[in-house]
Amino acid sequence: MDILSSVAWVKRGAAKATPIKFMPDEEELNSMIDKSGDHDDDDDEHKTKDVEMDVEKDDEDPDDEDNVIIPGVGPIGMYASNRDDPLLEIKDDGEDSDAEDFLIRPDDNLIVAAHIEDDTSSLEVYVYNDKEGYLYVHHDILMLNMPLCLTWFDYDINDGNTGNYVAVGSMEGMIELFDVDLVDQMEPLYTFGKKSKKKKSKKSSKKTNSKSGEGHDAAVLDLSWNKLVRQIIASSSADATVALWDLSQMKMALHLDKIHEKQIQSICWHPTEPQNLLSGSADKTVCLVDCRDANNKSSQHRWTFDSDIERVTWNIFDSNQYLASTENGYVYAMDIRQTTVPVFSLSAHDSAVTGLCLSPTVPGFLVTASFDETVKIWDIENGGVTFIAERQFQTGQINTCIANPDFPFTFAIGGQSKGLQIWDCTENANVRSRFGTRAKFEMVEVVEETASAKPVVSAFPTTSPNVTSAVLKAQRKKSSKKK
């Protein structure tokens, strides 16, 4: 098993130019040792004796440790640095290159990827530069819990200013907060959740190692940061509830348990109305909630579809429109002022649509990704739907597909294998010709890609009946007969 379950971009300029290396003090080290469990004093004493014996053996060695003798060759001098070796013409140790890679340039993006490999989980922090074309792992963070979803946020949990943080939702129902600028950190800054832990040491620990004791009863499936009310993060869970977390007070601000009947797989804040939260569930419904009076059913608006909802997102160019993708490969555009008539329906993929990206800067630019291992590009400007391009990735089922916030034609993709994939879709001539005039930046001519056969696009008329399971199935049967 080698899975990327989720990815999150960090916009340019948000990361520190020189990341901070975590150096725990004595109190923090003792606290982390206590958390790892009790130790057997007899075993520790035995290990200490073994170490002492090894030291004595080393002292008895008469050979100079600075020289290694190989039969037939003679003594070889050992130098701490290549610069000290008089026989080497090239003195480069690679230290300058490593130091340069450690720094973050102003035009660099960071990508945080949730990586699950066998029994080990981690967060991998990549550095990506679209101009220079490099991508490498800057540092990683070992996870005790299995990460399922990520959201990046810039609210500094210490003083409320801007920062560089990521929230991680886990299989165990925990939400952990990490500082992306902190290298070699050993535990989260803060943890929201109910999971019980081992008995703590009598020594007091710092606030950054604390835990809320309230939250979800099952896996956290999605997270969404409210960009308008920056201290608020929403989480959805397999326990069919949504929780709002206040980062300024480090506690749960609201718990919504009456909006869905099954696991909630996707949530998204409204781009201009900070009180409105959209959620999609395995109960085949999408719900729009006013969080000022969330548990009141009169504050909820609901749409029913014929398959489990995988992803939901808002159309920033039309704040009354949202898109929802389903398990059976369809994408729907809905107007929130009409609970019965979809703007369009799209047979996008042959399997669950797990990636749904609608550009906030390029009108009509829609990207979908699926368990069928493909990523497709569509033009949905003015309510119409046109297929533009497609690319297949050898990642197995695609779990996540997220657009670069600084360059919307670049996508980070993660699946069941092959690690992190980056796709700059301006490599495709159809994409350049279709969206180049709408983009607010220069699109560079590159080697052309080939597009696959055009998928089926179906549109509902404006007089369409209610969006119910029976109606949708009838529409699909009708379109299949025409084929």
Side-chain angles (χ1 to χ4, degrees), residues 2-4 6-8 110-117 121-127 136-143 150 180 419-420:
D2 187 11
I3 299 172
L4 287 188
S6 183
V7 297
L110 299 186
I111 307 171
V112 184
H115 186 203
I116 304 170
E117 184 175 7
S121 299
S122 63
L123 296 182
E124 296 175 339
V125 180
Y126 291 80
V127 177
Y136 61 90
V137 177
H138 185 275
H139 62 278
D140 57 8
I141 305 168
L142 187 64
M143 300 284 295
L150 305 173
V180 181
L420 181 67

Side-chain angles (χ1 to χ4, degrees), residues 148-303:
L148 298 181
C149 55
L150 305 173
T151 189
W152 178 82
F153 62 97
D154 71 2
Y155 181 85
D156 194 320
I157 62 177
N158 297 311
D159 54 21
N161 294 323
T162 57
N164 183 18
Y165 296 88
V166 66
V168 185
S170 69
M171 177 71 76
E172 293 77 9
M174 318 289 285
I175 301 170
E176 298 172 312
L177 309 183
F178 292 91
D179 186 343
V180 181
D181 290 327
L182 191 59
V183 179
D184 296 333
Q185 54 191 307
M186 299 181 182
E187 58 183 356
L189 300 176
Y190 201 88
T191 302
F192 296 116
K194 293 181 178 180
K195 184 178 177 182
S196 61
K197 288 190 174 182
K198 295 179 181 179
K199 188 176 181 180
K200 291 185 178 180
S201 170
K202 293 182 180 179
K203 294 183 179 181
S204 60
S205 59
K206 293 186 177 182
K207 181 182 178 181
T208 55
N209 298 330
S210 58
K211 180 173 171 294
S212 68
E214 57 186 359
H216 295 291
D217 295 321
V220 178
L221 302 180
D222 199 16
L223 295 166
S224 181
W225 171 50
N226 193 323
K227 297 179 181 179
L228 302 178
V229 185
R230 294 174 47 249
Q231 71 270 27
I232 297 297
I233 287 179
S235 61
S236 66
S237 172
D239 64 8
T241 68
V242 170
L244 305 188
W245 305 94
D246 188 342
L247 300 177
S248 64
Q249 302 183 41
M250 286 302 175
K251 67 177 185 179
M252 186 167 64
L254 186 63
H255 191 241
L256 312 179
D257 57 359
K258 299 179 180 179
I259 58 176
H260 290 287
E261 296 179 356
K262 293 184 179 181
Q263 63 187 39
I264 303 173
Q265 304 189 132
S266 181
I267 51 177
C268 186
W269 288 104
H270 194 280
T272 61
E273 300 172 4
Q275 73 278 8
N276 288 339
L277 181 68
L278 194 68
S279 60
S281 170
D283 65 5
K284 304 179 182 180
T285 66
V286 171
C287 186
L288 176 60
V289 178
D290 185 338
C291 293
R292 294 171 297 185
D293 191 17
N295 286 315
N296 184 348
K297 289 191 175 182
S298 63
S299 300
Q300 303 174 6
H301 303 276
R302 195 175 305 276
W303 295 262

Side-chain angles (χ1 to χ4, degrees), residues 316-360:
I316 199 169
F317 295 101
D318 183 356
S319 60
N320 291 314
Q321 186 182 109
Y322 74 85
L323 274 68
S325 65
T326 62
E327 186 182 32
N328 61 0
Y330 269 67
V331 174
Y332 301 93
M334 301 297 299
D335 191 318
I336 62 174
R337 297 165 296 186
Q338 303 180 30
T339 58
T340 60
V341 182
V343 178
F344 66 80
S345 100
L346 166 65
S347 179
H349 293 271
D350 297 328
S351 190
V353 181
T354 52
L356 188 65
C357 302
L358 188 55
S359 174

